Amino acid sequence: IHGIADGFVLWDENDRLVLCNDQYRACFPRVAGMIEPGVSFTEIATAALEADQFCPAEAPRAGSIAMRIEQHRNPSGPLEYLLADGRWLEIREQRTQDDGIVGIYTDITRRKLAEDQLRGMVQELERSNTDLEQFAYIASHDLQEPLRQISSYAQLIERRFAAKIDGDGREFIRYMIDGAKRM
């Protein structure tokens, strides 16, 4: 367990620490000194909260010791916590066959930063698309009148000078009218 990159911890059926690796201790540097076999989960969670281990914005979620103890005792899925030093932790816990709990603590800071960056890019893309839609609407609206004029004058020339225009000229006028209508 000491060779894996994630924090690893094993609790017994009484929520007392059985063993952990150094990466688990590194997840909670402000209380690392107390993380020793025999200490209870509640003691570590309380000390981490009192040592401001969690980001103040996360305190309502992470700060509820009772809630975190309940999550720990009845694991249901990954939890994410923002630590005071800016790191993000994903905590995955599961019951063992002997009613203990095994936990894996993964630093997901890079993923969270990438998610934030992606969110920013999506917002920028949405803003850009809105600008493009406005431009297209304005351009389309501004071009309608000149195109109507081209079409109208081409039809006027075709009617007024039909006798003086040869077949090629009429064909060219038709192309001009059709092109203006398509535009």
Side-chain angles (χ1 to χ4, degrees), residues 69-123:
I69 291 170
E70 178 63 25
Q71 291 169 338
H72 171 74
R73 289 187 178 152
N74 299 299
S76 62
L79 305 170
E80 294 179 354
Y81 285 106
L82 177 60
L83 301 180
D85 62 6
R87 291 179 300 136
W88 279 90
L89 278 184
E90 179 181 75
I91 302 169
R92 290 167 291 173
E93 296 173 315
Q94 186 171 337
R95 283 256 170 228
T96 61
Q97 290 178 349
D98 60 356
D99 209 28
I101 296 174
V102 65
I104 302 290
Y105 289 63
T106 305
D107 185 332
I108 59 168
T109 305
R110 285 186 179 168
R111 184 182 86 197
K112 286 296 206 176
L113 293 174
E115 288 172 358
D116 287 347
Q117 184 180 14
L118 184 58
R119 260 191 298 283
M121 292 169 70
V122 166
Q123 289 173 347

Side-chain angles (χ1 to χ4, degrees), residues 54-178:
F54 300 98
C55 178
E58 288 285 298
R61 285 189 347 186
S64 173
I65 297 298
M67 181 185 76
R68 179 62 188 109
I69 291 170
E70 178 63 25
Q71 291 169 338
H72 171 74
R73 289 187 178 152
N74 299 299
S76 62
L79 305 170
E80 294 179 354
Y81 285 106
L82 177 60
L83 301 180
D85 62 6
R87 291 179 300 136
W88 279 90
L89 278 184
E90 179 181 75
I91 302 169
R92 290 167 291 173
E93 296 173 315
Q94 186 171 337
R95 283 256 170 228
T96 61
Q97 290 178 349
D98 60 356
D99 209 28
I101 296 174
V102 65
I104 302 290
Y105 289 63
T106 305
D107 185 332
I108 59 168
T109 305
R110 285 186 179 168
R111 184 182 86 197
K112 286 296 206 176
L113 293 174
E115 288 172 358
D116 287 347
Q117 184 180 14
L118 184 58
R119 260 191 298 283
M121 292 169 70
V122 166
Q123 289 173 347
E124 178 61 25
L125 185 58
E126 288 172 347
R127 186 200 57 75
S128 178
N129 281 345
T130 300
D131 291 349
L132 185 59
E133 286 174 5
Q134 285 180 320
F135 172 77
Y137 174 79
I138 291 168
S140 170
H141 185 267
D142 289 351
L143 287 174
Q144 286 177 3
E145 184 56 31
L147 289 170
R148 274 197 285 276
Q149 284 183 341
I150 291 169
S151 180
S152 294
Y153 279 108
Q155 290 171 356
L156 186 62
I157 290 170
E158 183 181 43
R159 276 188 304 237
R160 257 198 208 163
F161 302 104
K164 297 180 182 179
I165 300 174
D166 65 1
D168 284 344
R170 280 190 289 281
E171 186 178 349
F172 297 155
I173 291 173
R174 282 280 112 212
Y175 287 146
M176 188 169 33
I177 294 170
D178 289 343

